[in-house]
Amino acid sequence: MMGKHLRQESVVARFFAAVPMVFAASVGSAAEGAAKPAAEPALVMTAQVVQREVAEGRTFVGTVMPERRSVIGSAVEGRVLDLLVNDGDWVQAGATLAEVRTVTIKLEIDAAKAELELRKRELEELKFSLPAEREQAQAAVARTQALQEYARSRLVRAEALFARGVATSQEELEEIRSVAMAAEQSALEAAATYQLKLRPRDEKILQAAALVAKQEAEVGLLEDQLDKYTIAAPFDGYVTAKHTEDGAWIKRGELVVELVSADPIEISVSVPEEFIAALRPGMSASLRLDAMPDKLFEAEISRIVPQADVRSRSFPVKMVIPNPRDASGHVLKSGMLARVTLAVAEPKLAMLVPKDALVLGGPAPLVYVIVRDPQSGKTIAAAVPVQLGVADGAEIQVLGNLQLGQQVVVRGNERLMPNAPVTVGTAAASSGSPSPPAPSSASSPVKPR
């Protein structure tokens, strides 16, 4: 029992001995904190909250879609020699996606070229022999015509002598007449031979030339098919699916890969029929993505599909926005959820702030309003949550605890904390006039809603 009391007294003694040390450390820390200078107010630029008539906006849910999607098939039949891509790969237009075995088609091309060479040689032979045959036939015609003329003149002289009874018998006259008739028949035969031999030869040359042209077309067809054994990307994009593998046998028309474009990207929004009459191509829209809450995108309506979904009675509205590629790829990806604000109602008065005044990335968009802290008298930036409406040029409609003419921070707001002291610089207001001075001490702070 006595030992227990001694241990308790020892613990209490050690506690009270440590109290002065803790107190001294606390005082030293407080003194050091008091000696540390306060942070300098942040320099910011501001613009005024303005009010004017804008069309009332409504937010619709949309989807990020590729502007082009292609399921690429094989134009030939054969075995896949090499599939060069995987799903998720980025490829450029003209890049090889897959190669099909080409040994058979190359043998067919070699055979077709050999046949073409044979046809060309036959045509050359016909063209070479035709002039000689023509000269030979023409000479035969000329010879038989000369014999015919000689026999005819001899017959005329013999008939004249026989009529006068001078040195020509009836038998000699008949012989001369038969020779003349034979010469005439020979001339006719030579002329007929010329017509029958040489004209068909011309036709044969034309036929041979046609065979050459046909074989050239056959070679061109096979070479075109050879190009199809290399399957290339038709445009820049991402491979989203593979439908075959190395060594697989594919038939003509079977799927190889699926390719989608990424720049530009398309936003598709389903708009109910009661709002569709207010929309036109070219109208501006603002959109945010759940995947990137710190960014605000601008777009224009590119087209309105005039066919509604019969179940939801909504029309597809399409917007196209740039989506350039950087070191990490494309920011916008197919399938992302988008929230698009469109002007679908009659114009009414609304509060607008410059888009640069928005601070995104938190639970809700907010703007920083310049107010006077009634306790310290300092100029501070109060955070005011807002809801976004329709975009109007460089400004955007906001719904929140704002008043006409208040100053909102447009530069330097990305590094501010709520109620942080600030120094307002000179910057042009959204209406084109310089920013007025910060509110007086009579102004009441704007509390976030």
Side-chain angles (χ1 to χ4, degrees), residues 223-258:
E223 289 178 340
D224 178 67
Q225 288 183 349
L226 179 61
D227 291 338
K228 294 176 182 177
Y229 278 70
T230 299
I231 302 170
F235 52 82
D236 295 352
Y238 287 96
V239 176
T240 57
K242 296 192 306 180
H243 298 282
T244 189
E245 290 293 345
D246 292 351
W249 182 268
I250 56 174
K251 296 181 179 179
R252 182 176 300 177
E254 284 191 355
L255 306 183
V256 179
V257 298
E258 184 173 350

Side-chain angles (χ1 to χ4, degrees), residues 214-299:
K214 177 178 178 295
Q215 194 61 31
E216 287 176 342
E218 182 71 20
V219 172
L221 177 63
L222 291 173
E223 289 178 340
D224 178 67
Q225 288 183 349
L226 179 61
D227 291 338
K228 294 176 182 177
Y229 278 70
T230 299
I231 302 170
F235 52 82
D236 295 352
Y238 287 96
V239 176
T240 57
K242 296 192 306 180
H243 298 282
T244 189
E245 290 293 345
D246 292 351
W249 182 268
I250 56 174
K251 296 181 179 179
R252 182 176 300 177
E254 284 191 355
L255 306 183
V256 179
V257 298
E258 184 173 350
L259 190 68
V260 299
S261 63
D263 182 25
I265 203 78
E266 186 176 81
I267 312 297
S268 180
V269 182
S270 294
V271 178
E273 60 182 353
E274 61 264 29
F275 302 115
I276 203 67
L279 301 180
R280 297 286 186 276
M283 292 180 63
S284 62
S286 59
L287 60 101
R288 298 180 65 196
L289 303 175
D290 287 3
M292 288 173 282
D294 57 338
K295 292 186 178 181
L296 180 68
F297 297 89
E298 299 179 22

